[in-house]
Amino acid sequence: MQAGVKPRIGVIGTGAIGGFYGVMLARAGFDVHFLLRSEFGAVVESGLQVDSAIHGALTLNPAQAYCSAIDMPPCDWLLVGAKTTSNAELAPAIVQAAAEGAKVLLLQNGLGVEDDLRPMLPDSLHLLGGLCLICVHRVGPGVIAHQALGAVNVGYHSGPCHDQAGRLAVVEEAATLFRVAGIDSQAMPDLQQARWQKLVWNVPYNGLSVLLGASTTPLMADDQSRALIRTLMAEVVQGAHACGHAIAPGYADYLFAMTEKMPDYRPSMHHDYSHGRALELDAIYARPLAAAKALGCELPKIEALYQALAFMDRRNR
């Protein structure tokens, strides 16, 4: 990012994640443009609102909102905050809204999400992954509740930069955007390792919130569910190691303790299930299981959780 020159940012999928980070970036002086669907009218009328336990009540009104990517100006950065289940249909919108040589940052969970999207994008676009450590959810059209945390860790996946120094420079540019907006952000030299690290939290808490119908506080208050969470975390670490990604000793304990201290939270998968939306089972469960199994590593507890969730997902939809 050149001194004194702020890039234009587009948000593709203005839900809880895209809305929160987009509002924070806009408040920091960035030129931010939001692509919406069903909530377009509400956001045009009332803007975007974030009720944050950390930053207070934030309102962006007017918000630069669009119902079609064709109408958006060319954006230097595109933040994709939609669910992984909609990436294929979002690809044309990303291409339409991208400036030449734009950077596309997927703020999504799971493994392989960049691999799926890459063939649908021009080679000239940089593709990055962002891991969001945040408690945030949508409470109404254009209205977002931010309960805790907010950091974004960023890694490079593919694009015009083929040397490590160039890739790290692009990643550092992304991290700087968030830091300017008051958000902690770290450049991750190994995106796949970062995604496995995020799975240490996502696999147990997202799945169990649906399977057991419980938010984080009751899950952490019961001895049986606590033991199951620890077992699932240990299996994720085991799978990561099998795939060549060393998770630091004590990392799972750190996430466990962090969850114990944070406000009661319903993970995104719980909200998806409650609203009859497709669950992100492929990216969060099927792909890590397949990657570990291909290297002779079985993860039986995660496999059982995935099978139960797949049954619930089919019946729910």
Side-chain angles (χ1 to χ4, degrees), residues 190-214:
D190 186 336
L191 176 59
Q192 293 309 308
Q193 175 163 339
R195 289 208 165 277
W196 273 102
Q197 287 178 336
K198 185 72 187 296
L199 288 169
V200 177
W201 195 93
N202 277 326
V203 165
Y205 290 103
N206 268 289
L208 292 180
S209 74
V210 173
L211 185 64
L212 303 180

Side-chain angles (χ1 to χ4, degrees), residues 196 234-245 288 291-292 295 297 299 302:
W196 273 102
E235 283 199 357
V236 176
V237 171
Q238 179 186 353
H241 286 175
C243 294
H245 304 294
L295 294 167
C297 178
L299 307 173
I302 297 176

